[in-house]
Amino acid sequence: VPIVGHFNHLDLGFLYHWYIAELPPTFQEYEAVLTKSFPYIYDSKVVSRSIQKQIKGLKVDLESLSDACFNPFLLGSYTNVIPPKINKY
């Protein structure tokens, strides 16, 4: 089951600590056990930063991303990446 969040590293650390086990002593160990427990973690902030170079003026906060998804003038030629029925949710 994939985990999707926006800038979710602290949230995942909190969940790991309270529901799985005590946090490992180093970030590298934590990252290894987290990806073993949850192999599919997506961070919308990381994804949006990766497309910032292609869409000029795109901001990575949630409100700006939502505005860009639902306002075709902000996305320009990238409107074809949004599923057509997403505005119903």
Side-chain angles (χ1 to χ4, degrees):
V1 174
I3 294 178
V4 180
H6 188 79
F7 201 57
N8 57 2
H9 238 325
L10 289 175
D11 298 329
L12 293 173
F14 179 82
L15 291 172
Y16 185 90
H17 173 75
W18 286 104
Y19 296 105
I20 297 174
E22 189 172 320
L23 289 172
T26 67
F27 178 76
Q28 290 78 15
E29 292 174 84
Y30 163 70
E31 189 174 35
V33 296
L34 185 68
T35 55
K36 186 176 181 181
S37 300
F38 305 104
Y40 303 103
I41 300 173
Y42 300 99
D43 189 329
S44 60
K45 187 169 185 173
V46 173
V47 172
S48 60
R49 283 193 185 251
S50 70
I51 63 172
Q52 243 180 344
K53 296 171 189 162
Q54 298 166 352
I55 303 175
K56 301 297 182 207
L58 179 68
K59 295 180 182 176
V60 296
D61 61 279
L62 283 176
E63 183 178 3
S64 298
L65 290 174
S66 174
D67 290 346
C69 287
F70 295 109
N71 184 341
F73 297 108
L74 294 175
L75 281 179
S77 63
Y78 290 91
T79 54
N80 60 347
V81 299
I82 300 172
K85 294 185 179 185
I86 199 167
N87 62 355
K88 292 185 179 181
Y89 298 101

